[in-house]
Amino acid sequence: MKHGSPCSRRRAEQRLPPHSCALFEKGPHGDQIASGLLPDQGGRMATARSPCNPQSTVDLGAQYITRTPHYAKKHQSFYDELLAHGILKPLTSPIEGMVMKEGDCNFVAPQGLSSIVKHYLEESGAEVSFRHRVTQINLRNDKWEVSKETGSPERFDIVVLTMPVPQILQLQGDIANLISECQRQQLESVCYSSRYALGLFYEAGTKIDVPWAGQYITSNPCTRFISIDNKKRNIESSEVGPSLVVHTTVPFAVTYLEHSTEDVRELIYQQLESILPGLPQPVVTKCQKWRYSQSSNPGWVYRIPPPVPTPTDWSWLPEAMRWEGCCGHFWAQRERTPQSISDGCQKVARGVTPII
């Protein structure tokens, strides 16, 4: 979803001929629905809301946006727009242990990072369908037919896949036959780290007495980052209780990846109490497993256009989108420059849009 919304917005900006754009989002999951902790759209930019008070929110994935000097000019319009709308604001609260590089600037989203995704979806006019897990993609009469776990199949001229690579390789139908063995090996070489996030919501008036808004932890086998989320985003209020989020280390997540959410929740909370003794009891908690948190090697962007003869000369394709060995149905873009999640999404959208 986080890549899909900028792509939809970029198509709208290009003033292309009339077209219909649909986005399918797999979440929310059953446990989120049962608990009432429904996250906003956004994938790793998701923001969870407390069922006790919808104004109490917590970012369970990405915590803030880092603008590097490399992208400050390239994506200036992106930052100018979000700052002008109040969707982004400079991060001014203290984050202990943060490593800052020269020229970097950090931003937070007062309404949660999912508000960035919401903004782009609203601007794009895309039709968004939640709880639709894509299972098959087949070729039907020069159209791509997308099948989901529930509901009738739908047909499209172009399909852009933005889910993690392992989920793409699990798709059934004609799409599986379009990937050569060489391509499959390259795609399977993309590795991901895993993490757990634990969000905690507190009653109004609760005090969490620490001098920081966020802290990176280096001496705990379980905990990597803690944030008093409303303090980090400068939205503290006497009418809304504080929210806190804990991110685990990658080794911890790998060890407990297939354990029950309840067991993992308890382990994370025990470690949190050892770091912050006397922490008040939350009224609600939300444990989120990020099986595919971040790519630990270059990622890919995938595009399936209508079937065309496989060309032998790829000079017509923009250089940023070329990939040696790709076929007429499948293109991929390798990310080479270190970037924040937002800059990565914008780069993908700018690269994909001209050819769709």
Side-chain angles (χ1 to χ4, degrees), residues 60-200:
L60 291 176
Q63 293 296 297
Y64 50 86
I65 302 296
T66 300
R67 183 184 66 191
T68 65
H70 178 80
Y71 287 106
K73 291 184 179 180
K74 283 189 174 183
H75 296 166
Q76 181 177 347
S77 60
F78 158 73
Y79 289 103
D80 287 348
E81 177 184 352
L82 295 182
L83 288 166
H85 283 82
I87 297 171
L88 284 184
K89 290 188 176 181
L91 170 60
T92 57
S93 302
I95 307 293
E96 290 189 0
M98 177 191 289
V99 177
M100 289 288 293
K101 296 181 180 179
E102 185 178 356
D104 284 359
C105 185
N106 295 311
F107 300 93
V108 291
Q111 300 306 311
L113 282 175
S114 67
S115 61
I116 299 175
V117 179
K118 282 184 176 180
H119 173 72
Y120 283 131
L121 289 176
E122 290 172 357
E123 291 289 308
S124 72
E127 176 187 343
V128 183
S129 299
F130 290 101
R131 300 177 64 190
H132 284 271
R133 182 175 181 269
V134 175
T135 56
Q136 293 191 43
I137 300 179
N138 290 292
L139 182 61
R140 298 285 187 268
N141 299 323
D142 294 337
K143 299 282 187 179
W144 293 104
E145 183 178 86
V146 178
S147 300
K148 293 98 59 184
E149 280 186 328
T150 58
S152 302
E154 298 184 47
R155 294 186 180 184
F156 303 93
D157 294 311
I158 297 172
V159 175
V160 179
L161 305 176
T162 66
M163 69 271 260
V165 172
Q167 294 177 344
I168 291 177
L169 295 178
Q170 291 170 9
L171 293 174
Q172 303 296 311
D174 294 334
I175 183 175
N177 301 324
L178 296 177
I179 308 175
S180 70
E181 185 59 31
C182 176
Q183 292 166 347
R184 182 173 291 275
Q185 290 177 1
Q186 292 190 8
L187 293 173
E188 288 175 344
S189 71
V190 179
C191 299
Y192 292 84
S193 61
S194 299
R195 292 185 189 273
Y196 278 97
L198 179 63
L200 302 93

Side-chain angles (χ1 to χ4, degrees), residues 176-309:
N177 301 324
L178 296 177
I179 308 175
S180 70
E181 185 59 31
C182 176
Q183 292 166 347
R184 182 173 291 275
Q185 290 177 1
Q186 292 190 8
L187 293 173
E188 288 175 344
S189 71
V190 179
C191 299
Y192 292 84
S193 61
S194 299
R195 292 185 189 273
Y196 278 97
L198 179 63
L200 302 93
F201 297 94
Y202 296 87
E203 291 181 342
T206 301
K207 301 295 182 182
I208 301 177
D209 190 19
V210 293
W212 39 262
Q215 183 182 60
Y216 285 93
I217 308 294
T218 58
S219 57
N220 188 282
C222 168
T223 307
R224 179 66 181 103
F225 180 77
I226 303 173
S227 173
I228 315 301
D229 209 48
N230 58 322
K231 186 175 181 179
K232 178 196 69 184
R233 291 185 274 144
N234 275 324
I235 56 169
E236 291 175 291
S237 168
S238 60
E239 298 178 358
V240 180
S243 58
L244 184 151
V245 65
V246 183
H247 279 194
T248 70
T249 63
V250 172
F252 174 89
V254 171
T255 300
Y256 295 96
L257 196 60
E258 305 305 334
H259 287 231
S260 72
T261 301
E262 287 301 321
D263 289 345
V264 173
R265 186 200 316 265
E266 183 62 27
L267 289 171
I268 298 173
Y269 191 74
Q270 288 175 1
Q271 292 297 317
L272 177 62
E273 286 188 309
S274 71
I275 297 171
L276 298 177
L279 188 68
Q281 285 292 317
V283 292
V284 181
T285 63
K286 161 60 185 166
C287 188
Q288 172 71 49
K289 178 197 296 184
W290 296 114
R291 182 180 293 273
Y292 307 112
S293 174
Q294 293 171 300
S295 174
S296 54
N297 58 2
W300 302 89
V301 180
Y302 315 91
R303 173 182 184 259
I304 309 174
V308 295

Side-chain angles (χ1 to χ4, degrees), residues 1-10 42-45 62 65 71 75 78-79 82 113 116-117 120 160 162 301 333 335 337-353:
M1 174 66 79
K2 65 183 183 296
H3 286 96
S5 56
C7 288
S8 302
R9 166 62 184 278
R10 290 291 296 175
R44 283 197 302 113
M45 298 175 79
I65 302 296
Y71 287 106
H75 296 166
F78 158 73
Y79 289 103
L82 295 182
L113 282 175
I116 299 175
V117 179
Y120 283 131
V160 179
T162 66
V301 180
Q333 175 179 337
E335 299 295 342
T337 307
Q339 60 218 329
S340 69
I341 185 174
S342 60
D343 283 318
C345 293
Q346 288 296 318
K347 183 177 180 180
V348 167
R350 289 171 183 265
V352 171
T353 301

